[in-house]
């Protein structure tokens, strides 16, 4: 039985051609997603940057530049480990770098630990690849040295209360230094600032003493204010009472004056005998109280007293 070699050879040729076609397509067609770019090198030299979309390149001549980046990453929220990645696509989105704790020394020679977060974004992919080796590690080392320099120029107390100023100073310095790398430093945040244990204990005692001092001052000021208000109240009450007595005395005097004028008109003469007799009459009951078995001597002439009574009778007769 004879077999034709042509169909078998054609099938093998078709399979090989299809295989090379697939390899050709895989090496010539790239799909770039949003917020990503790819660096293309032609025969080892920079050729172009592929932006989001579908792109066709010359296979075996154009190759995507591979970059090796390594950085620390926090694992289980406790420790940081360095991870190395080989990338062909560069992410243009804002990235965050969580640095491990750094030991820094303040101006007054106090060693403390600081943990920082850095938010950066690649703005020039070409510079990020060709101007620096291992961009994340370069940013990390630059941040560590800059942080030590900034903290080293400040005292401990100034460091603890000036986080915003430290963040702003770090951002300005890092952004200026990484500009030639095609990187924009958006924010720098200090997460934790941990002074030594003995310093923390001393600070807690100082804060407790300061709170007790403020409480004592507030209590003393309250007592002082209360005493002042009480004194002012008593003074105002005494003034009001004196004014009331003065007004009452004035009213009584005015009433007595009007009464004397009325008596003068009714008596058609001197009202003194009437007033004396009236005062005797008011005083006699008090003199007689509890002294019914005793002799009371009235220190006044009987004729004058009788005249006073006659004056009272005359006044009543005139009023009628």
């Amino acid at each position: 039985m004879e077999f034709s070699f042509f169909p078998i050879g054609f099938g093998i040729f078709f399979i090989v051609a299809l295989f090379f076609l697939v390899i050709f397509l895989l090496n010539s067609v790239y799909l770039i997603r949003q917020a990503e770019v790819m660096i293309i090198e032609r025969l080892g030299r920079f050729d172009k940057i592929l932006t989001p979309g579908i792109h066709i390149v010359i296979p075996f001549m154009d190759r995507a530049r591979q970059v090796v980046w390594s950085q620390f990453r926090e694992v289980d929220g406790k420790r940081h480990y360095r991870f190395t990645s080989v990338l062909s696509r560069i992410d243009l989105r804002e990235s965050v770098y969580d640095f491990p704790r750094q030991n820094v020394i303040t101006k007054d020679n106090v060693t403390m630990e600081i943990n920082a977060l850095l938010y950066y974004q690649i703005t020039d992919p070409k510079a990020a690849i060709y101007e620096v080796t291992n961009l994340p590690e370069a940013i990390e080392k630059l941040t560590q040295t800059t942080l030590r320099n900034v903290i080293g120029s400040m005292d401990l107390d100034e460091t603890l209360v000036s986080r915003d100023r430290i963040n702003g100073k770090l951002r300005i310095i890092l952004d200026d230094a990484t500009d030639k790398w095609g990187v924009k430093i958006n924010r720098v945040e200090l997460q934790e600032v941990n002074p030594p244990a003995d310093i923390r204990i001393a600070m807690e005692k100082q804060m407790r003493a300061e709170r007790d001092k403020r409480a004592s001052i507030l209590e003393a000021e309250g007592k002082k204010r209360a005493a002042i208000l009480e004194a002012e109240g008593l003074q105002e009450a005494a003034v009001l009472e004196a004014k009331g007595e003065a007004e009452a005395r004035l009213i009584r005097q005015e009433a007595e004056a009007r009464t004397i004028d009325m008596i003068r008109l009714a008596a058609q003469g001197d009202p003194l005998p009437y007033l004396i007799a009236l005062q005797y009459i008011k005083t006699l009951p008090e003199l007689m109280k509890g002294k019914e078995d005793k002799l009371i001597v009235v220190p006044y002439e009987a004729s004058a007293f009788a005249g006073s009574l006659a004056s009272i009778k005359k006044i009543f007769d005139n009023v009628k």
Side-chain angles (χ1 to χ4, degrees), residues 105-110 150-156 158-159:
I105 302 176
T106 62
K107 186 178 180 179
D108 48 354
N109 296 324
V110 177
V150 172
I151 299 300
S153 64
M154 304 172 67
D155 296 333
L156 175 63
E158 187 179 3
T159 302

Side-chain angles (χ1 to χ4, degrees), residues 247-295:
E247 291 177 357
R249 189 179 300 110
L250 180 61
I251 293 173
R252 287 196 298 269
Q253 291 176 355
E254 291 178 352
E256 291 177 356
R258 288 196 299 269
T259 302
I260 294 173
D261 291 338
M262 293 175 62
I263 294 173
R264 183 183 293 110
L265 293 175
Q268 298 179 357
D270 187 9
L272 184 59
Y274 168 79
L275 294 175
I276 294 174
L278 188 61
Q279 192 66 30
Y280 267 108
I281 294 173
K282 290 180 179 179
T283 308
L284 282 176
E286 297 294 330
L287 294 175
M288 297 297 296
K289 186 180 298 183
K291 301 177 181 178
E292 293 81 358
D293 56 345
K294 295 182 180 179
L295 179 63

Side-chain angles (χ1 to χ4, degrees), residues 58-198:
I58 301 175
F60 308 110
M61 293 181 62
D62 296 342
R63 288 182 176 273
R65 174 64 184 263
Q66 303 288 328
V67 295
V68 179
W69 283 354
S70 63
Q71 65 181 23
F72 279 102
R73 293 180 183 175
E74 187 175 0
V75 178
D76 298 331
K78 295 181 180 179
R79 301 186 61 182
H80 287 74
Y81 296 91
R82 185 176 292 278
F83 291 86
T84 302
S85 304
V86 180
L87 306 173
S88 61
R89 299 167 186 259
I90 300 175
D91 196 339
L92 299 181
R93 294 174 297 178
E94 185 178 36
S95 301
V96 58
Y97 199 158
D98 185 4
F99 293 95
R101 289 181 175 87
Q102 306 295 321
N103 290 325
V104 296
I105 302 176
T106 62
K107 186 178 180 179
D108 48 354
N109 296 324
V110 177
T111 302
M112 59 183 180
E113 293 182 344
I114 293 182
N115 184 20
L117 284 176
L118 186 143
Y119 296 84
Y120 68 95
Q121 189 172 12
I122 297 176
T123 57
D124 186 354
K126 181 180 177 181
I129 297 299
Y130 295 105
E131 295 294 335
V132 62
T133 302
N134 197 344
L135 177 64
E137 185 177 6
I139 294 176
E140 172 195 336
K141 299 302 181 182
L142 179 62
T143 303
Q144 290 176 353
T145 56
T146 305
L147 183 61
R148 291 192 179 101
N149 292 335
V150 172
I151 299 300
S153 64
M154 304 172 67
D155 296 333
L156 175 63
D157 295 338
E158 187 179 3
T159 302
L160 296 175
V161 300
S162 304
R163 287 196 180 190
D164 292 339
R165 188 156 64 90
I166 295 174
N167 294 338
K169 186 180 294 186
L170 286 174
R171 190 195 66 79
I172 293 173
I173 296 175
L174 294 175
D175 187 50
D176 183 67
T178 58
D179 183 63
K180 64 179 181 179
W181 298 343
V183 175
K184 173 68 176 177
I185 305 297
N186 295 327
R187 294 189 307 279
V188 179
E189 300 289 343
L190 297 183
Q191 279 187 296
E192 298 178 358
V193 179
N194 297 324
D198 55 342

